[in-house]
Amino acid sequence: MEKTLVQVYLYFGGRCEEALAFYKEAIGAQIEPSMRFSDSPHPVPDGMLGAGFENKIMHTSFRIGQTQVMASDGCNPDDGKHSGFSLVLTVPTVADVDRAFAALAQGGTITMPPCQTFWSERYGMLEDRFGVSWMVMVAE
């Protein structure tokens, strides 16, 4: 089991390129190569893709620090629904929390503004403009 790994795979309902650019700017994500549905060596089964998704991103990944996040446009606009989980961004300082939180919150919804908690010097929660839930904190 030493090679067992759980990774996050996000679907953006046709907005993956926009999300990649946002995460690159907001939190310094490093974008890795992408494959579009039209580039697939195997044809996508008939009826699987929504209208206009032929040139959308079938698979990509990006890195935030040491973490790799995989992503796709999905097969239709409904694939962009995110619920029941949060990504936790742990940064070294209070200033880093404030900067990352403010950037991720642009166009999103703040659930809990950054503040001191018993588990972190600075902690806040938000949902970004793509519906992804984030917890941003200083590690204690």
Side-chain angles (χ1 to χ4, degrees):
M1 294 285 285
E2 69 264 3
K3 294 190 179 199
T4 301
L5 178 67
V6 174
Q7 291 184 276
V8 175
Y9 204 110
L10 299 175
Y11 293 94
F12 288 99
R15 298 177 66 196
C16 192
E17 285 186 272
E18 181 185 348
L20 294 173
F22 176 71
Y23 296 138
K24 182 177 181 177
E25 175 69 26
I27 53 177
Q30 296 175 334
I31 312 305
E32 297 175 351
S34 300
M35 175 183 265
R36 297 184 182 281
F37 286 104
S38 60
D39 297 330
S40 175
H42 300 283
V44 177
D46 287 340
M48 185 175 166
L49 292 179
F53 271 67
E54 300 80 15
N55 289 313
K56 296 289 186 179
I57 294 176
M58 183 171 104
H59 174 77
T60 192
S61 59
F62 56 97
R63 290 196 172 276
I64 302 168
Q66 299 285 328
T67 303
Q68 180 186 46
V69 178
M70 292 184 269
S72 172
D73 273 308
C75 294
N76 63 64
D78 290 336
D79 288 342
K81 309 257 187 299
H82 303 285
S83 65
F85 71 94
S86 291
L87 299 180
V88 180
L89 179 61
T90 305
V91 295
T93 69
V94 168
D96 291 329
V97 168
D98 291 342
R99 184 196 56 72
F101 190 92
L104 286 168
Q106 292 178 20
T109 303
I110 295 172
T111 310
M112 177 181 172
C115 63
Q116 185 171 358
T117 64
F118 69 88
W119 65 87
S120 177
E121 185 179 358
R122 193 77 157 167
Y123 173 87
M125 298 186 311
L126 64 99
E127 183 177 292
D128 72 23
R129 66 175 75 168
F130 302 100
V132 176
S133 176
W134 290 86
M135 298 176 194
V136 184
M137 64 185 278
V138 173
E140 290 287 319

